[in-house]
Amino acid sequence: MFCTGVDLNVLEYKPPTNNRSGGKVVNVSTVPGSSDFKDKIRFQMSESDKENLQTAVWGLSTPMQGQDAARRTLELTVESPELHKFLDTLDEKNIQMAVDKSQEWFKKTMTKEAVDPMYVRMLKPPSKPDAKPTVRVKVKCADYPTNVYIVTDTDSDGNLTYVRGTHEDLTRNVKCLVIAETVGLWFMSRQFGMSLTATEILVWPNRRSTGIDAFNLSDKTKLSLQSTPKIAPSLATAIDDDDPMAM
């Protein structure tokens, strides 16, 4: 479902626990009283395949030496005004909950002015005046990888044909329809935030024109390929003998 289907007013923030790596986490459920995995925050980031598709800004990140190559980052433009509002509202709610529960989460009472700089926002502001805001999602590349589907054709009725892809297809400027989820908040020594993991990505490849198709020509211009005339073998030999480059 699209992000507007998630009711942020009923989110329940669970008591802090430790994950398998020993880090502190706060699980968040869309159904108060439920700890079921299916009740975590999960949403589609565009209204449909025809409205507000996102663009991959840089393509999938390349892990540095020592980094976890199983979870890589994909930065996406925020095209939908509703997605922008959703992410901004969720960021603000997470900050306010941290203030309200600061004694439980940080072992001391903290104001919003103190908490705000610690929080890593999901909604990133534009990097330059002509750019768009962005959001980052994690792409799983090893165990239980993110499902990637490549659109190969769209018929006159708007029906899609696709093939299975891999994370290698997440290159710069591809268009994406993404389903993302999160289990809740993560905490580090001086930071905390909410990471989004992409579970499904439908990709429209960025097909680059090559050859004669790469030119921008007038709509009135028609191109036709002239066949190359055949040269008689004896004439071809004569031409080669007179060619200084053949000496």
Side-chain angles (χ1 to χ4, degrees), residues 11-173:
L11 295 183
E12 182 180 51
Y13 292 72
K14 308 290 186 180
T17 58
N18 292 329
N19 58 22
R20 287 176 295 180
S21 302
K24 184 171 70 176
V25 296
V26 168
N27 292 321
V28 180
S29 175
T30 60
V31 179
S34 173
S35 296
D36 199 311
F37 199 66
K38 68 178 179 61
D39 293 325
K40 61 188 171 184
I41 299 173
R42 177 181 170 88
F43 59 95
Q44 186 168 291
M45 303 182 86
S46 302
E47 285 86 343
S48 71
D49 61 302
K50 297 175 177 61
E51 187 176 3
N52 292 320
L53 292 177
Q54 297 172 274
T55 300
V57 179
W58 301 110
L60 197 62
S61 66
T62 300
M64 304 292 286
Q65 186 175 3
Q67 288 184 331
D68 183 8
R71 285 172 57 86
R72 294 161 65 178
T73 301
L74 183 66
E75 187 168 6
L76 300 162
T77 57
V78 174
E79 303 286 343
S80 168
E82 291 294 339
L83 176 62
H84 187 286
K85 179 181 177 181
F86 175 84
L87 293 173
D88 186 47
T89 302
L90 184 52
D91 277 335
E92 291 298 328
K93 186 176 182 67
N94 289 339
I95 292 170
Q96 188 57 51
M97 289 301 298
V99 173
D100 297 342
K101 295 179 177 289
S102 59
Q103 189 64 46
E104 180 182 9
W105 292 3
F106 305 111
K107 307 303 181 186
K108 59 182 178 180
T109 301
M110 299 180 67
T111 64
K112 185 174 181 179
E113 290 71 24
V115 169
D116 201 321
M118 298 171 58
Y119 181 72
V120 180
R121 293 176 181 269
M122 290 175 285
L123 182 63
K124 309 294 183 186
S127 58
K128 52 187 178 180
D130 59 341
K132 294 184 177 181
T134 61
V135 59
R136 294 174 181 174
V137 297
K138 293 294 184 181
V139 175
K140 295 182 290 184
C141 304
D143 296 335
Y144 307 104
T146 298
N147 293 314
V148 179
Y149 311 95
I150 310 301
V151 176
T152 58
D153 191 29
T154 305
D155 67 18
S156 58
D157 294 324
N159 299 313
L160 305 177
T161 303
Y162 72 92
V163 295
R164 290 299 295 262
T166 72
H167 63 273
E168 298 294 342
D169 294 297
L170 300 173
T171 56
R172 184 177 183 179
N173 288 336

